[in-house]
Amino acid sequence: MALLNKRLIATAVAAFLSWNSIALADVADTLPDIGTTAGETLSINQELQMGDFYVRQLRASAPLIDDPLLTQYINGVGQRLVAHAWSVKTPFHFFLIQNDELNAFAFFGGNVVLHSALFRYTDNESQLASVMAHEISHVTQRHLARAMADQKSTAPLTWVGALGSILLAMANPQVGMAALTGTLAGSQQGVISFTQENEREADRIGLQVLQRSGFDPEAMPAFLQKLADQTRFSSTPPEILLTHPLPDSRLADARNRANQMPRLIVQSSQDFYFAKVRILAMYGSEQEKNQLDDVLSNYDKGNSREKLAATYGRAVMFMQAKSNDNAKRLITQLLSQQPTNPWFLDLATDIDIALKQPNQAVNRLTSIPNYAANPVLRVNLANAYLEAKHPAQALAILNRYTWDYPDDPIGWDLMVQATGDLGMTNEQRFAQAQGLALSGQLDQAIRALSDASGQEKTGSLAQQRYDARIDQLRVLQQRFRQYQKG
């Protein structure tokens, strides 16, 4: 059964075009003509709808990392790559999942998911970007829509029913495996064979995107070499590589293509190092946390960015261990060098709150010029106001924040607390409904809004607002019903 599960996961990964099975083709570096079959099977609007549906399922079932700093970082790198990609037909969104298995995948509507383990395996920002560029290319080339078009002529169109299970199995195997077992049997080989061509195409195009975006193209073969070494010398290589080995020819092709491009000497950004140590310290497995000391020791001997990240990483470790005085000593040292750095301010306010000094956190953030321009500082300040028992000030920030970032669950969670503290029961129900809707719990969201509407004066603006949102959610229910049936 264990081997069967691994094969099913591998098939799911192939179906969702995982970057791990990269194979470079001996073809010219020009965009291929993808034809009209993808458009005939699935329109761009349908892809966006399906992407919306499955993102909500992920929020409900997978361990997404809702960390404002990390979300801002990976979306910054992702949008830099998207800006240099061709055939971009949808907005792009990038998500992090807390998972120590090496993986990344893309799906409908410009959604790209990275496992947190990527930060453990990547040595530099260009390697991380190489994975993201490959996934972006799967989306721009509409590989899932093309796969559906191909499978429609050779097998029952089980894709819609299987996609949710595939996503869950990749993001959270314990949740998705039972459903996955029944949906993919019978067409595994056809899916794998088709997506090998997708992988060659996405890797070739992804390498171009990587180079045009100012990252080192040599990072792609370098990262593949790391995977090959682990497969060759480790008794327990990454699970996906058990059924998708990396032959030497694949590395040679990657090197040949990268060598034909101008070599770029690229230094990883400071944010990459901060993101890496933050993920290892706060979201890593026990094994990864145990390895963090070695990472920080190596950074102590590195360049100025690595040294700064080492101090920041130790401050995070102290805070995680509830050694707040030691954490405060280090973060004070860092703030003396960079007083407006959001990574430092975020940690400093968390330490203030842990030390029962929320007013100090408020003063720290409000003293930063133009703090409102940074969403990380805005959401931190709202939280600090709540901890300081000033819910009205928090609500003023959150009203604007949730308008600007309606898909951020953190904003709605804080809104629930602020409105509750102020005794605004119906507005609290509205905020709860927004959070429920983001995780696909539309029935519960509608019930919460109906409760709020029933408590308001008939015909009032508040009741009209709640009823209008109910109507919107019912439209979503109708739109998503076809995927739920599958």
Side-chain angles (χ1 to χ4, degrees):
M1 180 60 71
L3 181 58
L4 174 63
N5 286 354
K6 288 173 180 175
R7 286 175 177 167
L8 284 168
I9 287 286
T11 302
V13 173
F16 253 77
L17 314 172
S18 173
W19 60 271
N20 287 301
S21 57
I22 291 172
L24 292 165
D26 292 322
V27 292
D29 287 334
T30 56
L31 281 171
D33 179 9
I34 69 173
T36 61
T37 56
E40 292 170 356
T41 302
L42 204 66
S43 70
I44 293 295
N45 189 52
Q46 287 173 314
E47 286 197 34
L48 289 169
Q49 290 180 11
M50 292 177 72
D52 183 20
F53 174 78
Y54 290 120
V55 164
R56 293 172 196 265
Q57 302 308 301
L58 277 180
R59 286 199 185 101
S61 306
L64 287 180
I65 297 176
D66 289 320
D67 183 311
L69 283 165
L70 296 174
T71 298
Q72 186 178 72
Y73 171 69
I74 62 167
N75 277 275
V77 174
Q79 296 305 332
R80 173 178 167 184
L81 292 162
V82 170
H84 293 87
W86 298 331
S87 302
V88 176
K89 297 180 175 66
T90 66
F92 271 79
H93 309 280
F94 300 85
F95 302 91
L96 266 176
I97 282 181
Q98 187 173 359
N99 195 312
D100 61 359
E101 289 293 333
L102 184 60
N103 206 355
F105 55 96
F107 61 98
F108 294 122
N111 296 292
V112 177
V113 180
L114 309 177
H115 282 202
S116 56
L118 272 171
F119 284 85
R120 169 163 53 98
Y121 281 88
T122 50
D123 296 326
N124 54 61
E125 194 167 41
S126 289
Q127 289 183 6
L128 176 67
S130 74
V131 177
M132 298 174 72
H134 186 86
E135 296 304 326
I136 289 167
S137 298
H138 278 311
V139 175
T140 60
Q141 296 309 109
R142 303 193 66 199
H143 283 161
L144 278 175
R146 293 163 65 187
M148 289 178 68
D150 180 77
Q151 289 294 308
K152 187 174 183 179
S153 62
T154 60
L157 187 56
T158 61
W159 281 88
V160 170
L163 285 177
S165 299
I166 292 170
L167 275 171
L168 295 182
M170 294 177 69
N172 194 343
Q174 298 304 316
V175 174
M177 181 52 66
L180 179 64
T181 301
T183 52
L184 287 181
S187 60
Q188 297 178 24
Q189 188 57 50
V191 172
I192 293 174
S193 297
F194 186 80
T195 58
Q196 285 176 349
E197 179 60 32
N198 296 154
E199 293 297 335
R200 287 193 292 270
E201 189 172 275
D203 190 67
R204 173 170 50 85
I205 295 170
L207 196 57
Q208 297 173 22
V209 172
L210 187 70
Q211 189 267 337
R212 288 198 299 268
S213 301
F215 292 103
D216 182 4
E218 296 287 345
M220 185 175 286
F223 191 65
L224 288 175
Q225 182 66 63
K226 284 170 63 72
L227 295 181
D229 290 344
Q230 184 170 357
T231 303
R232 190 173 297 118
F233 301 116
S234 173
S235 60
T236 56
E239 183 175 277
I240 185 61
L241 298 186
L242 294 175
T243 50
H244 290 274
L246 294 172
D248 291 339
S249 61
R250 197 173 292 173
L251 295 176
D253 288 340
R255 289 195 187 97
N256 287 338
R257 288 194 179 278
N259 286 339
Q260 294 172 23
M261 296 178 171
R263 182 66 195 272
L264 299 175
I265 305 302
V266 180
Q267 187 178 17
S268 298
S269 72
Q270 182 70 75
D271 286 348
F272 169 78
Y273 294 114
F274 287 154
K276 179 163 183 168
V277 298
R278 185 179 180 91
I279 282 180
L280 292 177
M282 296 179 66
Y283 305 103
S285 64
E286 286 304 314
Q287 179 184 5
E288 289 172 330
K289 290 177 180 177
N290 292 335
Q291 294 172 346
L292 184 54
D293 280 330
D294 291 337
V295 172
L296 299 182
S297 294
N298 288 331
Y299 282 0
D300 282 331
K301 306 167 189 173
N303 59 39
S304 60
R305 294 179 180 180
E306 291 171 325
K307 290 177 179 177
L308 200 64
T311 303
Y312 173 73
R314 290 193 176 91
V316 176
M317 289 178 68
F318 278 133
M319 189 197 71
Q320 290 293 102
K322 302 189 185 305
S323 181
N324 294 309
D325 289 333
N326 284 323
K328 185 171 184 176
R329 172 178 54 82
L330 290 179
I331 203 65
T332 300
Q333 172 188 330
L334 292 171
L335 283 170
S336 68
Q337 302 174 52
Q338 299 182 16
T340 62
N341 187 308
W343 297 86
F344 302 162
L345 288 166
D346 173 272
L347 184 59
T349 56
D350 286 346
I351 294 169
D352 289 336
I353 291 169
L355 291 171
K356 310 298 183 185
Q357 300 171 343
N359 285 311
Q360 183 169 320
V362 168
N363 293 335
R364 184 190 302 280
L365 292 168
T366 53
S367 68
I368 302 300
N370 202 26
Y371 72 84
N374 190 317
V376 173
L377 300 186
R378 286 166 66 185
V379 77
N380 267 274
L381 181 57
N383 183 58
Y385 272 131
L386 287 173
E387 294 293 333
K389 308 301 181 187
H390 299 306
Q393 289 90 330
L395 185 61
I397 294 171
L398 292 167
N399 279 329
R400 183 65 190 179
Y401 183 86
T402 54
W403 176 268
D404 292 339
Y405 305 99
D407 294 335
D408 183 1
I410 294 177
W412 293 113
D413 286 345
L414 293 174
M415 180 78 87
V416 168
Q417 183 178 344
T419 51
D421 289 348
L422 290 167
M424 302 169 65
T425 304
N426 288 336
E427 282 299 288
Q428 184 180 40
R429 288 175 176 141
F430 179 84
Q432 289 170 335
Q434 297 292 73
L436 289 166
L438 286 177
S439 61
Q441 301 176 74
L442 301 184
D443 288 339
Q444 297 92 318
I446 289 172
R447 281 198 294 271
L449 289 166
S450 296
D451 289 343
S453 176
Q455 297 299 316
E456 294 291 344
K457 182 179 178 180
T458 302
S460 65
L461 288 176
Q463 187 182 65
Q464 292 178 44
R465 175 167 166 256
Y466 301 146
D467 290 347
R469 184 56 176 154
I470 289 172
D471 290 342
Q472 291 173 341
L473 294 181
R474 283 179 174 155
V475 170
L476 280 182
Q477 277 185 318
Q478 181 65 30
R479 184 181 299 162
F480 291 164
R481 192 159 289 135
Q482 58 187 314
Y483 312 129
Q484 293 168 326
K485 287 180 181 179

